[in-house]
Amino acid sequence: MSKKQINRRNRIAASLVCFLALMILEFVGVLDEIHGFVLFIIYFIPYIIVGNDVIIRAAKNIRNGQIFDENFLMAIATIGAFAIGEYPEGVAVMLFYQLGELFQGIAVNNSRKSIIALMDIRPDYANLKTDDGIKKVNPEEIKVADIIVVKPGEKVALDGKIINGSSTFDTSALTGESLPREAKTGDSVLSGFINKTGLIEIEVTKVFSESTVSKILNLVENASSKKSKTENFITKFAKYYTPAVVITALIMAIFPPLLISGATFTDWIYRALIFLVVSCPCALIISIPLGF
């Protein structure tokens, strides 16, 4: 877990303890006699503990002209809840949002660990067979038709065909198959295999840049820079969706009290804030780790 995640976890824990304590005090009636600014401060403490980074990011984005994002929506919804006196709702919404962000961070961190583990299949060297004997070289220096020697316990550095010897290989890094695979003279082997038993000689059939390991690592390293059609659509959709949500919430807060007899601004502002939270994708942020 990164320092940022640990910090977020600690802030969530501290805020949650304060919030639950306040809920218990409210349930038993201790807070019934507390009103006004004092009650505001009591609830503002757990709110600012857990939500200060969201408020700061929202302010920075507004200053940089990037107004409509999840930080803005969460900030305006929770600050609005405090403005109309719904302090518990403001704290609870920010807590759930930050909890979802924590789960998402943990899921991403686990994915990164898996990628780091995958990077271990990259060979550090290859044993090139020359007229002067065996020479350790960078796999990228090996050419097609060169002969490499793979000792027991070493990784197969490049794709090729066994020309001498036989052995058992651990192919789990590439295939996920835990059962060892037998290979003998004439059989093809892939880079990333781990030689378990015998000494073998391999005639290289592909240069390192075209080898199986290289292609897998390249796909993994560039995966984040390539978006699916759905992701591209969502990115474009968000540019229009978020402003539409904010404008709709403003209309909901302002016009009904002016047009409907008996309607109050407090009620409709509260409903507009509910609409903001529910409409924001962050309201469903808990589901993000399932996606990862």
Side-chain angles (χ1 to χ4, degrees):
M1 187 177 291
S2 66
K3 290 183 178 179
K4 184 177 180 180
Q5 290 173 339
I6 293 173
N7 178 263
R8 174 176 276 136
R9 181 197 63 188
N10 293 340
R11 289 190 292 110
I12 290 173
S15 179
L16 185 60
V17 169
C18 293
F19 182 65
L20 291 177
L22 289 173
M23 291 294 96
I24 293 172
L25 292 175
E26 184 172 337
F27 179 76
V28 298
V30 174
L31 298 183
D32 292 347
E33 303 300 322
I34 302 176
H35 302 285
F37 185 71
V38 176
L39 187 63
F40 169 83
I41 290 297
I42 289 174
Y43 277 101
F44 186 73
I45 291 173
Y47 171 78
I48 201 64
I49 288 174
V50 73
N52 64 84
D53 59 329
V54 175
I55 304 301
I56 292 171
R57 283 199 301 269
K60 287 181 178 179
N61 290 341
I62 291 173
R63 185 182 62 190
N64 296 331
Q66 301 173 349
I67 300 176
F68 300 109
D69 63 358
E70 71 270 17
N71 296 301
F72 173 78
L73 289 179
M74 297 308 299
I76 195 173
T78 53
I79 291 173
F82 269 79
I84 62 174
E86 299 293 344
Y87 308 137
E89 282 84 348
V91 178
V93 167
M94 190 61 76
L95 266 172
F96 277 115
Y97 171 71
Q98 291 285 43
L99 188 62
E101 288 287 283
L102 177 64
F103 288 159
Q104 177 177 329
I106 292 172
V108 170
N109 191 50
N110 290 338
S111 297
R112 285 174 179 163
K113 287 180 180 178
S114 298
I115 292 173
I116 291 172
L118 178 62
M119 293 301 182
D120 286 340
I121 69 174
R122 183 193 295 272
D124 299 319
Y125 62 88
N127 297 314
L128 176 64
K129 186 176 182 180
T130 65
D131 294 336
D132 298 326
I134 306 300
K135 181 181 178 182
K136 280 189 178 182
V137 298
N138 189 316
E140 296 180 2
E141 298 177 14
I142 304 293
K143 302 180 181 64
V144 173
D146 281 348
I147 307 299
I148 61 174
V149 176
V150 184
K151 303 173 184 177
E154 291 184 335
K155 299 170 188 172
V156 176
L158 300 100
D159 295 359
K161 181 185 293 185
I162 298 176
I163 60 172
N164 187 21
S166 62
S167 184
T168 301
F169 294 90
D170 178 357
T171 66
S172 59
L174 268 63
T175 65
E177 176 57 61
S178 59
L179 191 66
R181 171 183 164 185
E182 299 284 344
K184 59 184 185 302
T185 300
D187 291 342
S188 296
V189 291
L190 300 177
S191 53
F193 285 5
I194 298 176
N195 185 11
K196 302 297 289 185
T197 53
L199 180 73
I200 58 170
E201 294 182 1
I202 298 173
E203 181 181 352
V204 175
T205 56
K206 292 181 181 178
V207 295
F208 182 74
S209 60
E210 295 297 322
S211 67
T212 302
V213 161
S214 181
K215 288 183 178 180
I216 290 175
L217 293 175
N218 184 59
L219 286 172
V220 172
E221 289 167 354
N222 293 302
S224 60
S225 63
K226 297 179 180 180
K227 295 184 178 181
S228 64
K229 292 182 180 179
T230 303
E231 192 173 0
N232 284 324
F233 168 76
I234 291 173
T235 301
K236 294 178 181 178
F237 179 72
K239 294 180 180 179
Y240 303 99
Y241 174 78
T242 307
V245 167
V246 175
I247 292 171
T248 304
L250 286 173
I251 293 172
M252 185 182 297
I254 296 172
F255 286 97
L258 298 176
L259 302 176
I260 301 175
S261 177
T264 64
F265 277 101
T266 301
D267 288 341
W268 282 96
I269 289 174
Y270 184 61
R271 291 174 182 175
L273 293 172
I274 292 174
F275 173 77
L276 268 181
V277 175
V278 173
S279 300
C280 177
C282 308
L284 301 176
I285 201 71
I286 293 287
S287 67
I288 293 298
L290 299 180
F292 281 104

